[in-house]
Amino acid sequence: QVQLVESGGGLVQVGGSLRLSCAASGRAFSSYAMGWFRQTPGKEREFVGAISKSGSTTDYTHSVKGRFTISRDNAKNTVYLQMNSLKPEDTATYYCAAAVVPIGNYHYIPRLYDYWGQGTQVTVSS
């Protein structure tokens, strides 16, 4: 069983920055691909970005490319989402997720992830 706990959300003005953290329990963190997703009321959970087990490979949805950066520290069992140049449309609840089984290029599909955090709210005010 893996527990994921997100933190770092909050209220920020347009153009501001936030860094989300996702701390994982357990000893096998370095064997999990990690993803970040977001969701607003009434909408499906949306892929934001993902990072490979080693951290050498990342991928992002088009709308956040160049603004968001995912990184991980396997020694600290933590994955990060640095969000810059925030826009009102980035307002959402953000979730991190862990994939135990390799999912390769399908890291944008929520149902392929095995564990999820409780989410952290990000609100961008204009």
Side-chain angles (χ1 to χ4, degrees):
Q1 189 75 8
V2 176
Q3 290 186 328
L4 303 174
V5 179
E6 300 100 334
S7 61
L11 176 64
V12 64
Q13 291 186 335
V14 170
S17 298
L18 282 175
R19 189 177 81 154
L20 305 184
S21 299
C22 172
S25 65
R27 302 178 182 179
F29 177 75
S30 60
S31 66
Y32 306 147
M34 298 295 295
W36 283 97
F37 293 79
R38 63 189 180 186
Q39 190 169 24
T40 54
K43 293 190 176 181
E44 293 186 355
R45 198 161 291 190
E46 174 192 24
F47 171 72
V48 174
I51 188 166
S52 62
K53 295 181 292 184
S54 67
S56 61
T57 304
T58 55
D59 188 33
Y60 303 91
T61 191
H62 177 75
S63 63
V64 309
K65 281 184 179 178
R67 300 189 298 122
F68 290 11
T69 303
I70 297 175
S71 61
R72 66 189 296 164
D73 186 338
N74 285 343
K76 295 182 178 180
N77 280 16
T78 302
V79 63
Y80 305 97
L81 179 65
Q82 177 67 45
M83 305 185 294
N84 298 329
S85 302
L86 282 162
K87 305 176 180 180
E89 52 264 42
D90 295 318
T91 295
T93 301
Y94 283 71
Y95 299 89
C96 67
V100 176
V101 177
I103 57 177
N105 293 331
Y106 300 101
H107 48 256
Y108 56 92
I109 301 176
R111 63 178 174 81
L112 296 184
Y113 288 80
D114 302 284
Y115 300 102
W116 292 83
Q118 82 289 351
T120 186
Q121 178 67 35
V122 172
T123 303
V124 183
S125 65
S126 56

